[in-house]
Amino acid sequence: MQAKASGLDDALVADLLAFIAQPGSTDDAFNALALRLFAHQFQHNAPFQRYCQQRGRTPRTVKNWRDIPAVPINAFKDLTLSCVPPDACERVFMTSGTTRGDVKGRHYHPHLQVYDLSMTRNFRQRFMAGAERMRMGLLFPDEQLMPNSSLAHYLALALHAFGTPESRYFMDQDGLQLEDLCETLRQVQRSGEPFALLGASYSFVHLMDALQAAGLQFQLPAGSRLLDTGGFKGQSREMDMEAFYVQLSATFGVPRSQCINMYGMTELSTQFYDDGNAVLPSPKSGPHWIRSRLLDPLSGQEAPFGERGILAHCDLGNFNSVTTILTEDVGVAVDDGFLLLGRAQGAQAKGCSIAVDDFLRAAQSGAAA
């Protein structure tokens, strides 16, 4: 009873960890756990409860995970979406704040057991692809420099769970350690040891610019792979995705089929991957504990298969916040996942803004009453 009173249900978390650890799931099993999480969050997450009540969605009326109200992603910037008191959380991940200046979204984690298992189970299957460990280089600051970055934690997990002892960071408070990285790339070229280079997409752009200025290219050994994430929005320069992967493959001698993109966000606890970027756009897909839909942001109705919509994700890893979020990313469903087509524009962007306004009005009305 103590755990439930505090908003942290130990039995529910234990069942969630077991669900993630198993090799797969049925639709019924996913639905049952999603509904348990919905009932828990409805009880302990007050802003979310008020929003659901305004929409007539309660644990009594919601019978399928698709009917759980999707919370607009920007609500994480304006409200505390947590089942436990924020000061009881082990970690708070914050968004970069690029879309609204210094206003950052916050995702509260009472502990990181679920997040860490979600990351490592998925990463092992989608990026490691049978390899137990690889020598890795990380193009991103570590957790000491960026303690509130979900990507910093994600990459730290990759290094510690899957990297060899020689694995290391090549970015610190002074920026990119270019000479050290080039020496490492020469070493693995000579040794024939597969190498993995992981980081933010814009870090790769800066690295490729520096290598191009120095007239350097590499031919990494067979089995090497690259992982980029985050895109270029808000960075010093943007780059066409086709040109990005052409240059990435040419600079490091890694086939585009081994240039993997990870799609994730601070407000989720689970990541999506593609199977390389030989063809763009490349389908993204997730593990058995996350499901995605394409929605019309104005009506909330699901878009017909093959038509564009706004991506909404039901992530069971989000046990403490809200399982279901409405992003501002446009996509289209395909047989093996979805294609990510960019950010919402025009009417779609307006629909996302209206959804945020609706959520905030509902969530704050009860608090003001």
Side-chain angles (χ1 to χ4, degrees), residues 80-93 107-112 319-320:
T80 299
L81 296 172
S82 178
C83 291
V84 305
D87 58 8
C89 290
E90 176 183 339
R91 189 73 69 90
V92 182
F93 292 141
H107 194 179
Y108 297 91
H109 294 266
H111 55 72
L112 291 173
F319 70 96
N320 181 59

Side-chain angles (χ1 to χ4, degrees), residues 188-202:
V188 297
Q189 273 189 158
R190 292 192 296 266
S191 70
E193 174 188 11
F195 185 71
L197 197 58
L198 305 87
S201 307
Y202 65 84

Side-chain angles (χ1 to χ4, degrees), residues 24-259:
S25 75
T26 63
D27 290 343
D28 287 345
F30 179 91
N31 192 60
L33 189 50
L35 294 180
R36 284 180 62 192
L37 284 165
F38 171 61
H40 174 77
Q41 291 166 358
F42 184 90
Q43 179 181 353
H44 295 286
N45 188 332
F48 179 59
Q49 182 186 94
R50 289 191 287 269
Y51 178 60
C52 292
Q53 287 174 328
Q54 188 181 79
R55 294 198 155 209
R57 306 285 178 86
T58 71
R60 286 189 176 184
T61 62
V62 171
K63 305 300 181 185
N64 189 278
W65 68 269
R66 290 180 175 84
D67 298 323
I68 298 172
V71 173
I73 198 167
N74 269 327
F76 283 80
K77 296 182 178 181
D78 296 285
L79 296 165
T80 299
L81 296 172
S82 178
C83 291
V84 305
D87 58 8
C89 290
E90 176 183 339
R91 189 73 69 90
V92 182
F93 292 141
M94 298 183 186
T95 60
S96 61
T98 56
T99 57
R100 282 173 53 188
D102 294 331
V103 181
K104 297 178 183 294
R106 288 170 167 78
H107 194 179
Y108 297 91
H109 294 266
H111 55 72
L112 291 173
Q113 295 175 57
V114 174
Y115 185 98
D116 290 0
L117 183 62
S118 173
M119 183 277 171
T120 54
R121 287 278 299 178
N122 200 17
F123 188 89
R124 181 186 300 278
Q125 178 183 355
R126 300 301 299 273
F127 186 76
M128 297 303 292
E132 286 299 314
R133 288 188 175 269
M134 292 183 69
R135 187 170 181 176
M136 293 182 174
L138 302 189
L139 302 176
F140 201 75
D142 64 21
E143 289 188 279
Q144 284 66 49
L145 289 173
M146 299 187 71
N148 297 115
S149 166
S150 58
L151 181 56
H153 182 67
Y154 168 96
L155 291 171
L157 282 173
L159 187 146
H160 294 302
F162 302 104
T164 63
E166 301 82 10
S167 300
R168 54 165 289 190
Y169 289 86
F170 289 98
M171 190 171 286
D172 60 16
Q173 65 272 13
D174 298 319
L176 180 65
Q177 300 173 25
L178 184 62
E179 290 186 13
D180 288 352
L181 177 56
C182 287
E183 179 55 34
T184 294
L185 295 176
R186 294 186 189 102
Q187 286 177 11
V188 297
Q189 273 189 158
R190 292 192 296 266
S191 70
E193 174 188 11
F195 185 71
L197 197 58
L198 305 87
S201 307
Y202 65 84
S203 298
F204 277 101
V205 173
H206 292 316
L207 172 58
M208 291 190 295
D209 286 347
L211 293 176
Q212 187 176 47
L216 293 174
Q217 286 190 337
F218 296 90
Q219 189 69 38
L220 295 181
S224 296
R225 61 205 66 166
L226 310 176
L227 182 142
D228 80 284
T229 184
F232 318 109
K233 186 174 179 60
Q235 302 306 320
S236 55
R237 75 181 179 95
E238 297 198 10
M239 197 172 179
D240 173 77
M241 294 307 297
E242 179 68 25
F244 174 75
Y245 287 111
V246 166
Q247 187 175 351
L248 198 64
S249 178
T251 302
F252 299 102
V254 174
R256 285 178 57 172
S257 60
Q258 295 302 308
C259 297

Side-chain angles (χ1 to χ4, degrees), residues 302-343:
E302 197 158 345
F305 184 86
E307 293 191 11
R308 292 184 178 215
I310 303 297
L311 280 159
H313 306 296
C314 182
D315 181 6
L316 303 190
N318 275 9
F319 70 96
N320 181 59
S321 54
V322 291
T323 61
T324 308
I325 66 167
L326 178 68
T327 72
E328 295 180 346
D329 297 321
V330 178
V332 61
V334 293
D335 288 336
D336 46 359
F338 59 85
L339 302 178
L340 188 62
L341 302 179
R343 303 283 284 183

